[in-house]
Amino acid sequence: MSIISGKTEISHRREESTIYNTMKINGGIPLSGTVKTQGAKNAALPVMAVCLLLRGETLTLDNVPDLYDINTMIETLESLGVTVEVKRDENSSQVIFHTPEELKWEVSETLARKMRASSLVLGPLLANCGKVSLPLPGGCSIGSRPIDLHLKGLKQMGAEIEIQNGVVHASVKGKLRGRRIYLDFPSVGATENLMMAASLAQGETIIENVAREPEIDNLAAVLRCVGVTVETEGAGGVRIIGIDKAHSGRERVIPDRIEASTYILAGVMTNGHIKVEDLVPSHIDAILAKLEEAGAKFSVKKNSVEIFPSKKRLHPVSVKTLPYPGFPTDSQPQMAAALSLARGVSTIEESVFQARFLYAQELNRMGADIQISRDVAIIRGVEGLQGAGVKATDLRAGAALIIAGLSAKGETRVDDMIHVWRGYEAIDKKLRGLGARVELI
């Protein structure tokens, strides 16, 4: 993506994600080689919204991935008055946000409904402009994800909020006021929104029972780089002292732990020998612990994980998704795909999103044996999968079907790839670099 005369030129990848909505995979080939981890989608989206805290200043972010959701967020920010400059080459990726003195505060319904992360503009816009109108956001069909905790926290800071015809109207007289806020659930989005809102609030805000994901730490680093005081309060709290005006700053987006774990699981499923570089292994401790329990062969270095072939099938394991540092819900479908080849019966309990198992029937079309009982998947391992025509029901389901197709005999066609382009940068090229036979149709 680049900026031409102040207007956005959509990137080549964005165009591909619109045109090529099917991936054809000829599976059964062990992956081999090295793949580098992209910048984290779930970290980039909130830190991009930090630019809405600025007035007449610039925020520079390095290692921003080229994804459908990133482009949607850029369009959203541009619609609010921000000028965005994107610089990409084979070795680097940088996005520069030039924020005007006056921002618009009404979010486009079309853009808001494209992704859940559009809710992240709520806190910073309200704090900076004193008002905001935000259509209730869309996103993947993985269950109800209300923004009640976001709104409850903003109300405690003095905001007046009404929801009319599916649109959130929020305003505040003067400035938001710092408060002690306790989150009923450690919601990542609510933590991020309230941290940004508190950055321009009057006085001190302490948010308790916050999310502890690495993406929260990345957001704290970006807030500090523009002048906000952010301190950790014990294991589950954060303290923020509001400022009158944020200044220009520059920070780096952390590696994408979900993308990294997807390629790791692809190596395991295909019984390959691959090295995943440019990641933070401690961010995926829960995944590596389960793979070790299952008998996968791998080694961990400072910034990489190397997967080795094994003569034995995986052992069955039990998994329960939990907020970080527990097993991530975003890696649950990919783990289910891998466990579908284990020797024995595995279980996965989903405790975060109630509609996360839509991929199961698609994997079963490939020969997997997965039964769903409320919030638990019972996975009876099979010796191998068979290629089939399947559909990606959401972003991570699409990733699970792709890595299943890589291990399956014959041809697999994954439709509705539009979901996958939301979170995986150039996944077709990266897989071909590992020896996979994949083609976009």
Side-chain angles (χ1 to χ4, degrees), residues 62-64 87-94 252:
D62 296 304
N63 201 34
V64 178
K87 300 178 179 179
R88 299 191 192 277
D89 57 37
E90 292 183 358
N91 301 312
S92 64
S93 173
Q94 184 183 82
R252 182 176 178 82

Side-chain angles (χ1 to χ4, degrees), residues 52 80 103-108 118-135 151 154 159-162 167-172 176 193:
L52 298 176
L80 297 171
L103 286 163
K104 300 174 184 177
W105 49 269
E106 294 179 297
V107 181
S108 157
S118 61
S119 63
L120 292 169
V121 306
L122 180 62
L125 269 185
L126 179 61
N128 201 0
C129 302
K131 54 186 174 181
V132 58
S133 290
L134 174 72
L151 303 181
L154 293 173
E160 296 181 359
I161 297 175
E162 292 183 354
V167 179
V168 176
H169 300 279
S171 62
V172 62
L176 293 171
N193 239 329

